């Protein structure tokens, strides 16, 4: 497996502001993923982030709302822009190791007031 | 459409009792199947996975799961539950992790009675 860290671990934000979440992995990986887990719900894939190319977004998620950076093979950021209370969720990054299995970070717990 | 169903939202078992968490999937191709556990305030930890071969797979923490193609199921089992197993369990299906499109079930919350 890999050691995956996320910053911040939690935050409380005001509506209309933006928050950037960082994901760091201790080994080089080709593919990193960002998921959202709304309160009491399961995980939904937001986008796939490949180094050196634009992120690929899932239906219902757009780059203007969730811009993603992937500057190298061990790091990615997800920004939640112009936040509203509906953005209150846990945001998790994951990486694909051995080409088949995803391992998850500890998550960022976001509350928007 | 691809989907994962975990029919039990919440299960309570006594410590030391056996456990079975159900998972049914709908997937057009040969699925890759996973079980993850999420303890309170934590991220997701991989318990086990099935890609091919032996349909009974062993995982960490004494868990096992059995793939039954005829029933489109991948149920998770543990012969004797410990209090530390209290958590939320998610079943997921995909074409392979590198494809990114893991489909998760809604999860089953496990409570353990002393």
């Amino acid at each position: 497996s890999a050691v995956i860290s996320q910053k911040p671990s939690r935050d409380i934000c005001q509506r209309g502001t933006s928050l950037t979440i960082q994901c760091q992995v201790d080994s080089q990986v080709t593919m990193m993923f960002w998921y959202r887990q709304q309160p009491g719900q399961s995980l939904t894939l937001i986008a796939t982030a490949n180094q050196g190319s634009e992120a690929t977004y899932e239906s219902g998620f757009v780059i203007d709302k969730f811009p993603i950076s992937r500057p190298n093979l061990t790091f990615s950021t997800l920004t939640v822009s112009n936040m509203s209370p509906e953005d209150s969720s846990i945001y998790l990054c994951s990486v694909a190791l051995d080409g088949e299995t995803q391992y998850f970070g500890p998550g960022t717990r976001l509350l928007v007031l | 459409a691809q989907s994962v169903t975990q029919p039990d939202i919440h299960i309570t078992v006594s410590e030391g009792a056996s456990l079975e968490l159900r998972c049914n999937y709908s997937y057009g191709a040969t699925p890759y199947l996973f079980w993850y556990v999420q303890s309170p305030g934590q991220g997701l930890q991989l318990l086990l996975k099935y890609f091919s071969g032996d349909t009974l797979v062993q995982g960490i923490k004494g868990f096992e799961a059995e793939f039954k193609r005829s029933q489109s199921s991948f149920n998770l089992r543990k012969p004797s539950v410990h209090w530390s197993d209290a958590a939320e369990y998610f079943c997921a299906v995909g074409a392979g992790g590198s494809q990114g499109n893991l489909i998760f079930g809604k999860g089953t919350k496990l409570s353990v009675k002393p």
Side-chain angles (χ1 to χ4, degrees), chain A residues 12-13 26 28 58 63 68 71 80-81 85 90 94 101 111 113:
Chain A
I12 301 173
C13 300
D26 68 345
Q28 294 185 339
E58 298 298 305
I63 188 171
I68 288 172
V80 187
S81 303
I90 302 173
S94 74
T101 305
L111 176 63
L113 302 177

Side-chain angles (χ1 to χ4, degrees), chain A residues 17-78:
Chain A
T17 63
S18 298
L19 176 72
T20 295
I21 302 168
Q22 300 178 5
C23 179
Q24 179 80 50
V25 61
D26 68 345
S27 58
Q28 294 185 339
V29 294
T30 303
M31 304 185 76
M32 296 178 76
F33 309 95
W34 287 98
Y35 288 82
R36 181 176 72 182
Q37 185 180 20
Q38 295 178 298
Q41 301 297 313
S42 188
L43 282 77
T44 302
L45 181 64
I46 297 172
T48 301
N50 293 334
Q51 195 269 335
S53 64
E54 294 289 325
T56 302
Y57 289 83
E58 298 298 305
S59 176
F61 297 97
V62 295
I63 188 171
D64 289 345
K65 176 66 175 177
F66 298 101
I68 288 172
S69 78
R70 183 78 200 275
N72 57 52
L73 291 173
T74 64
F75 187 79
S76 179
T77 67
L78 169 76

Side-chain angles (χ1 to χ4, degrees), chain A residues 31 37 42 99-102 109, chain B residues 36 41-42 49 51 97-98 105:
Chain A
M31 304 185 76
Q37 185 180 20
S42 188
E100 296 169 333
T101 305
Q102 289 188 32
R109 284 148 182 81
Chain B
Y36 290 88
Q42 303 296 313
K49 59 188 177 183
F51 297 155
S98 61

Side-chain angles (χ1 to χ4, degrees), chain B residues 17-90:
Chain B
S18 63
L19 171 70
E20 182 169 30
L21 302 182
R22 295 182 290 167
C23 173
N24 292 95
Y25 66 89
S26 174
Y27 199 77
T30 301
Y32 287 64
L33 295 160
F34 307 84
W35 275 99
Y36 290 88
V37 60
Q38 186 177 37
S39 298
Q42 303 296 313
L44 269 69
Q45 181 180 22
L46 179 69
L47 282 176
L48 48 77
K49 59 188 177 183
Y50 172 79
F51 297 155
S52 63
D54 192 347
T55 57
L56 184 63
V57 293
Q58 303 296 321
I60 62 172
K61 304 184 178 185
F63 286 92
E64 66 178 27
E66 186 171 12
F67 171 60
K68 293 185 177 180
R69 184 185 300 276
S70 62
Q71 299 177 19
S72 297
S73 69
F74 188 56
N75 294 348
L76 181 72
R77 302 193 294 249
K78 186 170 184 177
S80 178
V81 170
H82 188 263
W83 64 266
S84 60
D85 293 324
E88 187 136 25
Y89 292 79
F90 292 95

